[in-house]
């Protein structure tokens, strides 16, 4: 069920979890410093929202390109279904966000 890499070194998942915790702590510290220095103004949010929107668009194209690549090199297996699940989740989230912001205006 688990990959051979995971079975050989399961402690890597623990290191990954610690890394996520470290990144969260750094984010919170950076956010607190930024609020004290008033870095988060209207322009900041506008630029960030545009960047996030463009990132979603690019990620959609990347997932559509990755699907046939996975089929060619890995066959229809776990990676194929994972990428398809991520694609469906991406589209659902994008639809919900579009409906939310459309109703908000």
């Amino acid at each position: 069920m688990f990959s051979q890499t995971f079975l050989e070194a399961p402690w890597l998942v623990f290191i990954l979890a610690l890394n996520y915790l470290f990144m969260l702590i750094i984010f919170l510290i950076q956010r607190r410093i930024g609020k004290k220095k008033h870095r988060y103004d209207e322009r900041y949010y506008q630029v960030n929202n545009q960047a996030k929107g463009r990132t979603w668009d690019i990620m959609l194209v990347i997932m559509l390109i990755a699907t046939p690549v996975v089929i060619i090199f890995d066959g229809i297996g776990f990676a194929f279904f994972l990428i398809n699940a991520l694609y469906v989740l991406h589209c659902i989230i994008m639809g919900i966000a579009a409906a939310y912001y459309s109703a908000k205006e």
Side-chain angles (χ1 to χ4, degrees):
M1 180 169 168
F2 294 115
S3 70
Q4 189 63 31
T5 306
F6 175 74
L7 292 175
E8 290 173 1
W11 49 270
L12 290 174
V13 175
F14 178 69
I15 292 174
L16 187 63
L18 286 178
N19 186 36
Y20 289 157
L21 180 64
F22 176 72
M23 289 189 307
L24 177 66
I25 291 169
I26 294 297
F27 169 76
L28 293 173
I29 291 170
Q30 179 268 339
R31 185 88 173 156
R32 174 176 275 177
I33 292 170
K35 281 186 178 182
K36 286 182 182 176
K37 294 185 178 185
H38 304 290
R39 289 185 188 155
Y40 303 111
D41 58 353
E42 188 175 318
R43 179 170 159 37
Y44 168 83
Y45 287 110
Q46 181 184 3
V47 169
N48 262 2
N49 287 337
Q50 288 174 345
K52 288 176 188 175
R54 190 58 55 207
T55 302
W56 275 100
D57 295 341
I58 293 168
M59 193 64 205
L60 176 64
V61 172
I62 289 171
M63 285 191 290
L64 290 174
I65 292 170
T67 301
V69 170
V70 167
I71 291 172
I72 291 169
F73 292 107
D74 196 31
I76 297 181
F78 176 73
F80 171 76
F81 290 111
L82 179 64
I83 286 183
N84 279 327
L86 290 175
Y87 173 73
V88 168
L89 186 62
H90 167 81
C91 291
I92 290 171
I93 291 170
M94 203 156 84
I96 291 171
Y100 172 78
Y101 288 113
S102 179
K104 192 174 180 179
E105 287 185 11

